[in-house]
Amino acid sequence: MRIGIVILPDQRWSESQHRWRQADEWGFDHAWTYDHLGWRDLVDGPWFDSMATLTAAATVTSRIRLGTLVASPNFRHPATFARQITALDDISGGRVLLGLGAGGIGFDSAVLGGETLPPRQRVDRFGEFIELLDLVLREDGTTWRGDWFTAVDARNNPGCVQQPRVPFVVAANGPRSMRLVARFGQGWVTTGNTEGADLETWWGGVAELCARMDATLEAAGRDPATLDRYLSLDAAPVFSLSSADFFAEQVARAAALGFTDVITHWPRASSWYAGDEAVLVDVATRLLPELRAG
């Protein structure tokens, strides 16, 4: 089992850089940040760009993989985003994991003045976004005129360090997004079904999603062993770092469902992911080697 951690981009780099260094030194397998222009009730507080943050993180770490959780077409264009991804992959020495999703409603979908799209159209747009991003990252001189995006002779030279491109970790809960996972994803990330669920109901929903993902891969003729599976533990109604023992239990449940990777969040003082950093220290120093071996 591989263990990852999300570090929200809500602190100045002078304050947050130690977290990225510490995650690397502790032995976490991957570290992520949110790719938003503003997020939920934190939109009025400090918030920093994900790609700049990950680039800075790449310069103060040596081995941990770095990723977006998740980038979306709400404000990204494949041609320009590909240049940023290529630069980050180069600076990090090939340590990028690119989390991608359809994008939700809220600040990101409204701040540029566009209309808020219904779910079906958001997935339509995401399908075109991921297909074009895949092309631009793999091929030089891409021209594309679609329903949502246009590119004219988009360049990718020198290309990614990781070939043929950085790994895509695709967020999906619905059938159409799962088909995009089967087609483009090296990884699948899910939050489970979060609406009004207690903990046991949430885990039941996660198990159902795993079965659907297996069926989707089978229908696409893809070997399930070729797909890494990431579970965002803190989409559950109980924070995964409530205690070290609880975290270990949640990791074990994820492993039993076939997940290869789990992701937690660095505890914050209040609001989202509020918790005690002492629990994180305990997990990282005492349990992490054992959990990763398991």
Side-chain angles (χ1 to χ4, degrees), residues 13-257:
W13 183 245
S14 58
E15 301 173 69
S16 68
Q17 61 178 298
H18 82 279
R19 295 183 173 183
W20 296 90
R21 287 195 180 98
Q22 189 66 76
D24 192 36
E25 292 169 3
W26 274 332
F28 280 95
D29 295 283
H30 29 79
W32 310 77
T33 202
Y34 284 1
D35 187 50
H36 293 291
L37 298 177
W39 186 70
R40 297 189 177 180
D41 62 350
L42 303 186
V43 71
D44 293 324
W47 196 265
F48 295 92
D49 177 73
S50 67
M51 298 303 282
T53 296
L54 292 170
T55 299
T59 67
V60 299
T61 58
S62 61
R63 44 152 298 278
I64 197 168
R65 306 209 73 176
L66 304 168
T68 52
L69 197 71
V70 290
S72 83
N74 268 342
F75 59 91
R76 296 289 187 189
H77 188 289
T80 54
F81 193 33
R83 281 302 198 194
Q84 294 175 287
I85 295 162
T86 301
L88 177 59
D89 201 44
D90 177 64
I91 292 166
S92 68
R95 291 187 282 133
V96 173
L97 292 169
L98 191 64
L100 298 170
I105 61 174
F107 187 80
D108 287 352
S109 66
V111 67
L112 299 183
E115 63 177 315
T116 297
L117 299 175
R120 174 164 288 278
Q121 286 184 283
R122 291 204 302 273
V123 177
D124 290 342
R125 182 183 62 174
F126 182 44
E128 188 172 310
F129 174 84
I130 197 171
E131 184 172 0
L132 179 53
L133 185 61
D134 170 67
L135 279 174
V136 176
L137 287 172
R138 289 189 298 104
E139 301 178 6
D140 199 31
T142 297
T143 294
W144 177 283
R145 291 179 176 85
D147 295 329
W148 301 95
F149 300 100
T150 298
V152 180
D153 196 21
R155 304 303 181 92
N156 79 341
N157 189 29
C160 297
V161 173
Q162 300 175 86
Q163 286 293 311
R165 59 159 168 75
V166 300
F168 287 1
V169 180
V170 182
N173 282 357
R176 295 174 65 212
S177 295
M178 284 187 173
R179 288 195 290 272
L180 293 174
V181 174
R183 183 178 175 190
F184 294 105
Q186 286 66 56
W188 166 52
V189 60
T190 183
T191 56
N193 294 313
T194 59
E195 293 298 323
D198 59 29
L199 185 60
E200 291 307 313
T201 303
W202 182 80
W203 275 109
V206 171
E208 291 175 6
L209 289 171
C210 289
R212 288 183 212 163
M213 190 72 251
D214 287 338
T216 302
L217 293 170
E218 182 179 357
R222 179 169 173 181
D223 181 357
T226 65
L227 183 71
D228 290 333
R229 302 177 184 226
Y230 297 74
L231 180 61
S232 182
L233 291 174
D234 296 327
V238 181
F239 183 39
S240 63
L241 291 176
S242 297
S243 72
D245 288 344
F246 181 74
F247 183 77
E249 291 170 5
Q250 303 314 289
V251 173
R253 294 186 75 162
L257 290 175

Side-chain angles (χ1 to χ4, degrees), residues 3-6 28 233-234 239-241 247 262-266:
I3 314 291
I5 190 164
V6 177
F28 280 95
L233 291 174
D234 296 327
F239 183 39
S240 63
L241 291 176
F247 183 77
V262 295
I263 303 170
T264 186
H265 288 70
W266 197 289

